[in-house]
């Protein structure tokens, strides 16, 4: 629906007299909680804008609309259109992180470091969270040392021992590639992911189908062997492989999420106490 509103606005904008620097209509929609229509109205202000600052203001408020809607991906996409300051990149990295795009969040912090030469505690924390989300704990530890040094200089509190203790017990993540190779033996990939019951079930099911097909071949029932044995095996064997891959990813996700939860609780509490 919003697409058609946007097309309408762009087609008829030349005959609509509006001051692009006046956001009264968009602001009133935002105040009412109608964030979707407010975002469209802010985009019209962007289209009719006569100054860079008016464009920035409209885009900033449009991004805020999407954040209010919980659509962090679209909020980040809007921020990408004008991000050239530290605060912009901070919001961009945070939105990418909240959207679950940890790699893009880390890249946003890298871009900010190139632009501003250094990162503050807020951006370093987002960078650590993004790297933790990808399981890149060694890189996150490096960012942690920089965060600890900045925090020590500002507050006199040393976060080094806390971060060392946290990163001293990072989760051991499973290799998805190894899990895929192991799944060529039905059940072994599940066992690698810690799903022993499902692994045993996958092995028994595939072994039973294979045994049935071989038995029918010895009995001379070729059609039954083909349809009942090979046919079923062509469904159960790839299914078991996909299932094993899924459970390896699930294992990594759960352990990474648990580590990140404890990390956020400990580090953010320490940063708040320091302030």
């Amino acid at each position: 629906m919003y697409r058609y509103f946007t097309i309408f606005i762009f087609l008829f904008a030349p005959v609509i007299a509006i001051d692009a620097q006046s956001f009264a209509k968009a602001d009133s929609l935002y105040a009412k909680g109608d964030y979707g229509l407010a975002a469209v109205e802010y985009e019209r202000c962007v289209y009719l804008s006569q100054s860079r600052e008016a464009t920035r203001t409209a885009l900033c408020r449009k991004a805020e609309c999407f954040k209010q809607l919980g659509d962090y991906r679209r909020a980040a996409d809007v921020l990408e259109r004008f991000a050239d300051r530290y605060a912009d990149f901070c919001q961009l990295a945070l939105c990418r992180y909240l959207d679950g795009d940890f790699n893009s969040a880390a890249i946003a912090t890298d871009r900010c470091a190139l632009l501003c030469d250094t990162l503050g505690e807020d951006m370093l924390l987002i960078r650590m969270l993004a790297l933790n989300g990808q399981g890149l704990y060694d890189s996150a530890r490096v960012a942690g040392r920089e965060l600890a040094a900045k925090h020590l200089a500002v507050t006199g509190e040393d976060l080094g021992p806390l971060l060392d203790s946290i990163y001293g017990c990072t989760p051991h993540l499973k290799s998805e590639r190894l899990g895929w190779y192991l799944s060529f033996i039905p059940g072994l990939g599940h066992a690698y992911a810690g799903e022993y019951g499902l692994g045993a079930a996958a092995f028994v099911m595939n072994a039973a189908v294979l045994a049935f097909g071989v038995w029918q071949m010895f009995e001379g029932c070729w059609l039954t062997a083909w349809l009942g044995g090979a046919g079923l095996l062509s469904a159960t064997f790839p299914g078991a492989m996909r299932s094993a891959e899924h459970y390896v990813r699930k294992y990594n996700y759960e352990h990474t999420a648990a580590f990140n939860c404890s990390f956020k609780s400990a580090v953010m509490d320490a940063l708040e106490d320091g302030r």
Side-chain angles (χ1 to χ4, degrees):
M1 181 179 69
Y2 300 137
R3 180 180 60 183
Y4 299 113
F5 278 122
T6 305
I7 294 172
F8 178 86
I9 289 169
F10 286 173
L11 287 176
F12 290 93
V15 297
I16 298 175
I18 183 173
D19 179 2
Q21 298 187 48
S22 175
F23 305 106
K25 177 69 178 297
D27 289 344
S28 66
L29 290 170
Y30 182 91
K32 294 176 183 177
D34 198 346
Y35 303 117
L37 288 178
V40 174
E41 186 68 23
Y42 284 126
E43 185 62 36
R44 179 172 66 168
C45 294
V46 172
Y47 183 73
L48 297 175
S49 173
Q50 299 298 316
S51 70
R52 180 178 177 82
E53 196 57 36
T55 299
R56 162 181 283 278
T57 301
L59 288 173
C60 185
R61 296 182 187 180
K62 181 178 179 179
E64 191 63 33
C65 289
F66 289 129
K67 285 193 285 184
Q68 292 292 335
L69 291 169
D71 192 343
Y72 297 108
R73 180 187 60 81
R74 295 177 72 182
D77 290 343
V78 173
L79 289 164
E80 289 277 12
R81 294 167 61 182
F82 68 93
D84 59 3
R85 302 174 185 175
Y86 182 91
D88 301 334
F89 281 107
C90 191
Q91 287 297 314
L92 173 60
L94 181 59
C95 285
R96 292 297 187 198
Y97 174 78
L98 293 174
D99 186 47
D101 190 349
F102 303 131
N103 183 55
S104 294
I107 290 173
T109 64
D110 289 337
R111 291 167 59 192
C112 184
L114 290 173
L115 178 69
C116 305
D117 296 328
T118 185
L119 298 178
E121 291 185 25
D122 48 0
M123 284 293 275
L124 285 170
L125 180 59
I126 295 173
R127 178 170 179 77
M128 293 174 70
L129 290 170
L131 293 171
N132 287 344
Q134 299 175 80
L136 302 175
Y137 299 118
D138 290 338
S139 298
R141 188 194 291 263
V142 172
R145 293 195 187 103
E146 188 176 350
L147 173 64
K150 287 182 177 294
H151 192 71
L152 179 63
V154 173
T155 67
E157 181 184 359
D158 188 6
L159 293 179
L162 173 63
L163 293 174
D164 287 340
S165 66
I166 292 174
Y167 284 106
C169 55
T170 56
H172 176 70
L173 303 181
K174 306 286 187 178
S175 168
E176 293 186 21
R177 180 177 294 273
L178 178 58
W180 184 79
Y181 283 125
L182 291 174
S183 65
F184 277 97
I185 301 176
L188 197 56
H190 291 83
Y192 175 68
E195 299 289 340
Y196 301 107
L198 289 174
F203 178 80
V204 170
M205 179 177 61
N206 282 274
V209 171
L210 179 62
F212 175 78
V214 173
W215 172 57
Q216 290 298 298
M217 288 177 60
F218 279 112
E219 291 292 324
C221 302
W222 299 102
L223 183 61
T224 307
W226 177 255
L227 294 177
L232 286 174
L233 191 63
S234 68
T236 59
F237 184 72
M241 293 185 68
R242 290 193 296 270
S243 177
E245 287 184 88
H246 165 75
Y247 281 106
V248 171
R249 287 193 295 269
K250 180 183 177 184
Y251 175 93
N252 288 341
Y253 173 80
E254 290 178 345
H255 283 72
T256 300
F259 174 81
N260 286 345
C261 184
S262 61
F263 170 86
K264 285 186 284 188
S265 177
V267 175
M268 294 183 75
D269 285 349
L271 290 173
E272 287 296 327
D273 292 341
R275 291 173 186 170

